[in-house]
Amino acid sequence: MQTDQAQKPYNAINLSKKFELFSEQWLPKVVAELNDYQFKIARIEGDFVWHDHPETDEAFIVLEGELRIDFRNGAVHLKASEMFIVPKGVEHKPFAEKEVKLMLIEPRGVLNTGHEGGERTAQNDVWI
Amino acid sequence: MQTDQAQKPYNAINLSKKFELFSEQWLPKVVAELNDYQFKIARIEGDFVWHDHPETDEAFIVLEGELRIDFRNGAVHLKASEMFIVPKGVEHKPFAEKEVKLMLIEPRGVLNTGHEGGERTAQNDVWI
């Protein structure tokens, strides 16, 4: 006889396991939503395009590896467990000499290339 | 003669170093803002009070240690590099057998005890 109160399964989001599910670079995958914000993970390596997000700040959290974010007048270097908020409207260009695993946090609907478009623009809102 | 373009210092937010700056538990410290959202870090150990946040989801990311979040009909267990979004309006109670270091992400102005108040309510918007 089942007398226990019904238990709902609550599942942790394990970022390492999520990364095992894909190998492609520069294609952010959504792992969670917080109100109208999305948590995305991505593998990136090499150079990206200059772009900005005129309507929103963008959070970068490095989970593994090293990331450099170039600005027109400087750069920030991020290692694992380091983060940086790129302010809205500020042009930036991520770069990684070797593959880096990172998490991005930004409002739903933000494109990886901002309004630059082009071949580096990733499909948006892809969950993993 | 200085001919270089002026370089602005862009500083990474190093979460480990931020944790070295305080030892008190249950008092979240803001380390960054993303639009009107705040990234807070906290050390917690033991049992908290039941509460909810009727107006917002709340993100928990465990950086070190293990966290359990109890719900009225279940629980989720989080280890380092695992995260969970507590949906708005859902009663929850964080618990850690040993000290856990975590990051919280939620809109500016959210109190740790929701609307429960009481002695466990931490001062809000304290930066580190």
Side-chain angles (χ1 to χ4, degrees):
Chain A
M1 194 171 66
Q2 179 68 40
T3 56
D4 291 338
Q5 187 185 358
Q7 297 289 296
K8 184 176 169 182
Y10 290 96
N11 299 316
I13 298 163
N14 183 300
L15 299 175
S16 300
K17 289 181 183 167
K18 290 288 188 188
F19 272 105
E20 291 172 8
L21 301 177
F22 70 104
S23 59
E24 62 268 34
Q25 298 177 334
W26 297 106
L27 298 177
K29 316 289 186 193
V30 182
V31 296
E33 280 187 343
L34 172 77
N35 302 324
D36 55 343
Y37 281 67
Q38 290 185 327
F39 291 71
K40 306 173 185 177
I41 59 172
R43 297 171 180 267
I44 76 174
E45 182 175 3
D47 222 352
F48 202 54
V49 294
W50 283 104
H51 69 284
D52 71 321
H53 304 286
E55 68 290 347
T56 182
D57 300 342
E58 184 176 36
F60 288 79
I61 303 177
V62 171
L63 302 173
E64 194 179 312
E66 296 187 25
L67 175 71
R68 192 184 78 210
I69 306 174
D70 290 333
F71 303 99
R72 293 296 189 184
N73 61 350
V76 64
H77 296 258
L78 303 177
K79 294 174 295 192
S81 293
E82 291 187 333
M83 62 179 288
F84 190 79
I85 311 288
V86 176
K88 66 179 177 181
V90 171
E91 276 192 296
H92 59 284
K93 183 173 68 63
F95 169 79
E97 193 174 323
K98 298 177 183 173
E99 184 177 86
V100 59
K101 295 177 184 172
L102 55 82
M103 186 154 66
L104 301 163
I105 305 162
E106 57 199 354
R108 194 185 300 132
V110 171
L111 291 175
N112 64 330
T113 52
H115 299 266
E116 294 301 314
E119 63 181 14
R120 302 297 296 270
T121 303
Q123 189 184 345
N124 210 359
D125 205 27
V126 176
W127 284 72
I128 202 162
Chain B
M1 194 170 67
Q2 179 69 39
T3 56
D4 291 337
Q5 188 185 357
Q7 298 288 298
K8 184 174 168 183
Y10 290 96
N11 298 316
I13 299 163
N14 183 300
L15 299 175
S16 300
K17 289 181 183 168
K18 291 288 188 186
F19 272 106
E20 291 173 7
L21 301 177
F22 71 103
S23 58
E24 61 269 32
Q25 298 177 334
W26 298 105
L27 299 176
K29 316 289 187 193
V30 182
V31 296
E33 279 186 345
L34 173 78
N35 302 325
D36 55 343
Y37 281 67
Q38 290 185 327
F39 291 72
K40 306 173 184 177
I41 59 172
R43 296 173 181 266
I44 76 174
E45 182 175 2
D47 222 353
F48 202 54
V49 293
W50 283 104
H51 68 284
D52 72 320
H53 305 286
E55 69 290 346
T56 182
D57 301 341
E58 183 176 35
F60 288 79
I61 304 177
V62 171
L63 302 172
E64 195 179 313
E66 297 186 25
L67 175 71
R68 192 184 77 211
I69 307 174
D70 290 332
F71 302 101
R72 293 297 189 184
N73 60 349
V76 63
H77 296 259
L78 302 177
K79 295 175 294 193
S81 294
E82 291 186 334
M83 62 178 289
F84 190 81
I85 312 288
V86 176
K88 67 179 175 182
V90 171
E91 276 192 297
H92 59 283
K93 182 173 68 64
F95 168 79
E97 192 174 324
K98 298 177 184 174
E99 183 176 87
V100 58
K101 296 177 184 172
L102 55 83
M103 186 154 66
L104 301 163
I105 305 162
E106 58 199 354
R108 193 185 301 131
V110 171
L111 290 175
N112 64 331
T113 51
H115 299 267
E116 293 301 316
E119 63 181 15
R120 301 298 296 270
T121 303
Q123 189 184 345
N124 210 359
D125 205 26
V126 176
W127 285 71
I128 202 163

